[in-house]
């Protein structure tokens, strides 16, 4: 019998690649977070960003060829922290959000954990 940790918080996850979304979900659960909602396409992500309770969002920058900006705008308006996940580096981030934290894909469990901790404390990584 294994003891389960109480959840550290809830995460809204937007990622269009199903296998990556499953992997990140597993990583989040291992870190003690619950996934409040997940989306694989922009319209679903917009709907969930407006209606779901979460502490933090992790947003794929490019979701099926569409930029994540409308979802990021909604989350910013709700005053919730968010992290981008990208395979394109900082140059792939929407220009208005280049000051936001970004995980370079592929990322490790420890990197994800540090980035989430920083975002929830309102810090930028390395600060």
């Amino acid at each position: 019998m294994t003891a389960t940790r109480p959840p550290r918080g809830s995460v809204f996850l937007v990622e269009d690649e199903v296998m990556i979304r499953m992997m990140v979900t597993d990583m989040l659960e291992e870190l003690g977070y619950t996934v409040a909602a997940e989306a694989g396409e922009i319209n679903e992500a917009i709907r969930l960003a407006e209606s779901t309770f979460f502490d933090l969002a992790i947003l794929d920058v490019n979701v099926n060829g569409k930029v994540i900006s409308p979802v990021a705008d909604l989350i910013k308006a709700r005053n919730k922290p968010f992290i981008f996940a990208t395979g394109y580096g900082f140059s792939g981030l929407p220009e208005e959000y280049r000051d936001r934290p970004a995980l370079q894909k592929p990322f490790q469990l420890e990197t994800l954990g540090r980035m989430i901790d920083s975002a929830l404390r309102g810090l930028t990584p390395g600060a």
Side-chain angles (χ1 to χ4, degrees), residues 31-49:
L31 290 167
Y33 295 92
T34 59
V35 176
E38 53 185 81
E41 62 92 20
I42 290 287
N43 290 334
E44 180 185 21
I46 288 170
R47 181 180 60 78
L48 291 169

Side-chain angles (χ1 to χ4, degrees), residues 34-109:
T34 59
V35 176
E38 53 185 81
E41 62 92 20
I42 290 287
N43 290 334
E44 180 185 21
I46 288 170
R47 181 180 60 78
L48 291 169
E50 292 173 324
S51 63
T52 304
F53 174 83
F54 57 89
D55 298 306
L56 168 94
I58 298 175
L59 308 174
D60 185 6
V61 171
N62 184 323
V63 180
N64 293 319
K66 296 180 181 173
V67 179
I68 196 70
S69 295
V71 179
D73 293 344
L74 289 168
I75 295 168
K76 181 180 177 185
R78 288 183 64 183
N79 203 27
K80 296 285 185 183
F82 57 92
I83 298 167
F84 290 110
T86 180
Y88 304 102
F90 278 99
S91 64
L93 296 179
E95 194 164 326
E96 66 272 25
Y97 290 114
R98 293 208 174 138
D99 62 332
R100 296 289 177 142
L103 286 161
Q104 178 66 41
K105 293 180 190 174
F107 48 84
Q108 301 295 317
L109 180 70

